[in-house]
């Protein structure tokens, strides 16, 4: 059975989509069949692997409201072993449409049950909020990766997110664990960045990844070319960072 990992932070601009896309691509390149799920109405993960959200006819939205099966919706990408369950603008209305639906918090879990066994890893790029879509992602997942940027106010909102995770653990998904907190946008030249690393490691002892994602221009450029960093520039520092993260997760999971 595959492991489902949600990449989540209600704050925007913390490297959430970058981390989801590049981790999924790295796991695929390391020969582990991986499904990337775009659960964000902005559909940035979809475009980041070279698929135009405006041109797709079915998305995760159609799966969650019951219009399409997940097998009809999954798409291949240019990277072997990496598939995509895409998003488009229709996902904006999903939370409103599911208000009165039975088991509304379990819709994504139900969708993924039939295909979980087909993948070694399923990586979910969550919306930058703690709304119904993110709750669905947490209920469907086995573990959570929390990206935290190495900047001022890094820990702002982290307590609220951890509290939401605890509520999910105490109710709808007792099996949910924290895979790790991922430090992103690190610049070793800045005293503030180094202070944030120490602060997060001290406050969240034992759940912070050893791998730290450095600021990297190639990492920032890759999405505009519709490519994960590993296919845009395999020698870049960003590629090396995410390959190291993938290897750390594989090691942690005994693979």
């Amino acid at each position: 059975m595959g492991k489902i990992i949600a990449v989540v932070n209600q704050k925007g601009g913390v490297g959430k989509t970058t981390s989801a896309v590049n981790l999924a691509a790295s796991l695929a390149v390391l020969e582990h069949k991986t499904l990337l799920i775009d659960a964000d109405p902005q559909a940035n993960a979809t475009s980041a692997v070279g698929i135009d959200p405006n041109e797709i006819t079915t998305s995760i939205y159609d799966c969650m409201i019951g219009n399409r099966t997940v097998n009809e919706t999954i798409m291949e990408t240019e990277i072997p072993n990496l598939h995509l369950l895409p998003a488009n603008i229709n996902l904006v209305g999903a939370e409103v449409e599911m208000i009165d639906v039975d088991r509304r918090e379990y819709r994504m879990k139900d969708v993924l049950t039939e295909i979980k066994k087909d993948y070694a890893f399923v990586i979910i790029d969550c919306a930058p909020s703690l709304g119904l879509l993110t709750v669905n992602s947490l209920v469907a997942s086995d573990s959570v990766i929390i990206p935290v940027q190495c900047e001022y106010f890094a820990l702002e909102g982290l307590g609220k997110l951890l509290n939401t995770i605890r509520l999910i653990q105490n109710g709808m998904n007792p099996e949910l664990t924290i895979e790790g907190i991922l430090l992103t946008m690190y610049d070793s030249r800045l005293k503030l960045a180094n202070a944030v690393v120490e602060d997060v490691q001290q406050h969240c002892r034992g759940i912070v990844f050893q791998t730290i994602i450095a600021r990297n221009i190639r990492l920032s450029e890759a999405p505009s070319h519709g490519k994960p960093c590993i296919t845009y520039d395999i020698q870049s520092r960003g590629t090396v960072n995410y390959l190291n993260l993938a290897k750390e997760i594989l090691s942690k999971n005994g693979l």
Side-chain angles (χ1 to χ4, degrees):
M1 292 286 281
K3 183 166 193 177
I4 302 176
I5 303 175
V7 183
V8 59
N9 194 324
Q10 77 273 25
K11 287 182 69 176
V14 298
K16 179 181 55 61
T17 298
T18 297
S19 295
V21 169
N22 287 289
L23 171 59
S26 296
L27 289 166
V29 166
L30 293 171
E31 300 185 345
H32 294 272
K33 191 175 180 184
T34 303
L35 175 64
L36 173 64
I37 298 178
D38 193 344
D40 183 349
Q42 297 176 83
N44 289 334
T46 299
S47 59
V49 293
I51 294 168
D52 187 344
N54 298 314
E55 293 183 359
I56 61 174
T57 54
T58 61
S59 71
I60 187 172
Y61 162 81
D62 299 284
C63 300
M64 291 180 71
I65 65 170
N67 286 348
R68 290 286 190 277
T69 68
V70 66
N71 283 313
E72 290 177 297
T73 310
I74 288 174
M75 308 174 73
E76 293 185 357
T77 71
E78 66 175 27
I79 299 177
N81 293 319
L82 180 62
H83 291 173
L84 172 73
L85 184 53
N88 60 16
I89 195 64
N90 291 341
L91 197 56
V92 170
E95 294 198 358
V96 176
E97 291 187 37
M98 291 194 298
I99 285 289
D100 297 319
V101 172
D102 286 341
R103 290 171 49 84
R104 61 183 182 178
E105 296 90 356
Y106 296 86
R107 301 296 287 188
M108 190 179 296
K109 184 180 179 71
D110 294 342
V111 164
L112 298 184
T113 297
E114 60 185 283
I115 54 94
K116 184 179 180 181
K117 66 184 185 301
D118 299 329
Y119 295 93
F121 289 95
V122 178
I123 307 296
I124 306 176
D125 180 32
C126 297
S129 72
L130 295 179
L132 187 55
L133 284 173
T134 298
V135 169
N136 262 266
S137 299
L138 293 174
V139 171
S141 295
D142 299 304
S143 66
V144 176
I145 291 174
I146 304 170
V148 173
Q149 81 278 36
C150 296
E151 295 178 355
Y152 196 58
F153 291 138
L155 294 174
E156 185 185 62
L158 185 58
K160 186 176 181 182
L161 175 57
L162 292 173
N163 188 52
T164 299
I165 291 170
R166 277 192 291 271
L167 290 172
I168 299 290
Q169 289 170 326
N170 291 334
M172 293 171 279
N173 186 2
E175 309 291 313
L176 184 66
T177 62
I178 295 177
E179 192 77 22
I181 291 174
L182 177 65
L183 290 159
T184 63
M185 304 181 185
Y186 174 67
D187 187 338
S188 60
R189 299 168 299 178
L190 301 178
K191 286 184 179 180
L192 175 62
N194 290 299
V196 168
V197 169
E198 290 181 21
D199 202 21
V200 173
Q201 289 174 339
Q202 181 179 339
H203 281 83
C204 306
R205 198 180 303 277
I207 58 170
V208 182
F209 286 112
Q210 291 182 357
T211 303
I212 297 176
I213 310 300
R215 282 195 179 277
N216 178 252
I217 189 66
R218 308 300 271 173
L219 201 54
S220 302
E221 290 173 349
S224 65
H225 295 268
K227 295 176 181 288
C229 199
I230 200 164
T231 54
Y232 180 62
D233 183 353
I234 197 167
Q235 294 183 316
S236 75
R237 191 175 182 185
T239 295
V240 172
N241 286 166
Y242 279 107
L243 280 170
N244 286 339
L245 175 64
K247 290 173 184 175
E248 188 175 344
I249 289 171
L250 290 171
S251 176
K252 185 177 179 179
N253 287 276
L255 297 171

